[in-house]
Amino acid sequence: MTIRVLIVDDQAMVRAGFAALLNAQSDIDVVGDAPDGRQALEVSGRTHPDVVLMDVRMPEMDGLEAARRLLDPPPGVVHRPRVLMLTTFDVDDYVYEALRAGASGFLLKDAPPADLIAAVRVVAAGDALLAPSVTRRLIADFARNRPAPRRDPRLRLNGLTPRETEVLELIARGLSNQEIAAHLVLAEQTVKTHIGRILAKLDLRDRAQAVVLAYESGLVQPGTA
């Protein structure tokens, strides 16, 4: 199945470069582009992309607000693409908020071409966090001094079994499914089953939101190994 991609960036050359690279792949089709978040919403509504590559800083409407609106659409709108944020390390705070909003992860804008192609495929497949350990450190940095949410997120963890809680903690520490399986001496398929149940019980869209909740709930403390 062809992956439909929308590219959103305020630099025309960046959009053109990404489009040329992705369109050269037999399984990827760039269905549109936009220079800001507001136009991204319009183009997405017409083209129904599977994945939106979303720059963070843009005029008119930034990528964070556009991601929020795409991932939490108004009543009657059923299409929700997966959003992959394009960023640099100097805008990590925006990335943290984007993950909380439901973005599937982030990619550095100067990443190698192969990483961009792989990122689109991974996100389209329903996975998240292209570099789990990097994202873990990013979230930890901002969770350290961030005020607690109004609703105590620890209460949401009460429905998890001890094993599911353990798996969630390892996800937040940046371990891959294979590494979690080795650590807990489980089959990798069993780990995937646990993760699916965790997401369902906590009403989370993907692994990215699970990491955020693990930090916000105090299950994992910033700065711990």
Side-chain angles (χ1 to χ4, degrees), residues 105-129:
F106 72 95
L107 183 72
L108 297 180
K109 294 182 73 171
D110 60 355
D115 287 1
L116 173 63
I117 297 168
V120 169
R121 290 171 176 155
V122 167
V123 171
D127 293 326
L129 298 180

Side-chain angles (χ1 to χ4, degrees), residues 6 8 36-42 44 51-58 61-74 79-86 94-106 205 209:
L6 169 62
V8 187
D36 58 63
R38 193 173 305 281
Q39 292 188 47
L41 298 179
E42 298 174 1
S44 178
V51 177
V52 177
L53 291 179
M54 182 78 74
D55 189 19
V56 172
R57 290 181 174 176
M58 294 179 293
M61 181 188 293
D62 65 22
L64 178 58
E65 180 60 25
R68 286 195 184 110
R69 296 193 187 191
L70 285 173
L71 296 169
D72 188 18
H79 176 70
R80 287 204 311 171
R82 294 190 173 271
V83 176
L84 179 61
M85 304 301 297
L86 299 171
Y94 290 94
V95 176
Y96 176 88
E97 294 298 337
L99 291 175
R100 290 188 63 187
S104 292
F106 72 95
R205 186 177 185 191
Q209 291 188 322

Side-chain angles (χ1 to χ4, degrees), residues 29-192:
D29 181 21
V30 176
V31 296
D33 65 84
D36 58 63
R38 193 173 305 281
Q39 292 188 47
L41 298 179
E42 298 174 1
V43 177
S44 178
R46 294 196 311 267
T47 61
H48 293 177
D50 301 306
V51 177
V52 177
L53 291 179
M54 182 78 74
D55 189 19
V56 172
R57 290 181 174 176
M58 294 179 293
E60 298 296 329
M61 181 188 293
D62 65 22
L64 178 58
E65 180 60 25
R68 286 195 184 110
R69 296 193 187 191
L70 285 173
L71 296 169
D72 188 18
V77 178
V78 296
H79 176 70
R80 287 204 311 171
R82 294 190 173 271
V83 176
L84 179 61
M85 304 301 297
L86 299 171
T87 186
T88 57
F89 280 121
D90 63 350
V91 288
D92 284 349
D93 196 15
Y94 290 94
V95 176
Y96 176 88
E97 294 298 337
L99 291 175
R100 290 188 63 187
S104 292
F106 72 95
L107 183 72
L108 297 180
K109 294 182 73 171
D110 60 355
D115 287 1
L116 173 63
I117 297 168
V120 169
R121 290 171 176 155
V122 167
V123 171
D127 293 326
L129 298 180
L130 307 176
S133 60
V134 174
T135 304
R136 170 178 52 80
R137 291 195 299 271
L138 180 158
I139 293 174
D141 287 342
F142 287 94
R144 184 177 293 111
N145 299 311
R146 191 171 292 273
R150 294 177 182 176
R151 296 175 60 187
D152 189 347
R154 289 175 296 181
L155 299 177
R156 296 179 64 183
L157 304 185
N158 290 343
L160 300 183
T161 66
R163 176 63 85 189
E164 289 165 351
T165 302
E166 192 172 14
V167 170
L168 176 59
E169 179 180 352
L170 295 176
I171 290 173
R173 295 190 186 283
L175 274 67
S176 66
N177 288 358
Q178 186 176 13
E179 291 168 337
I180 294 173
H183 183 81
L184 298 178
V185 194
L186 298 172
E188 190 170 348
Q189 184 57 49
T190 302
V191 172
K192 292 180 180 178

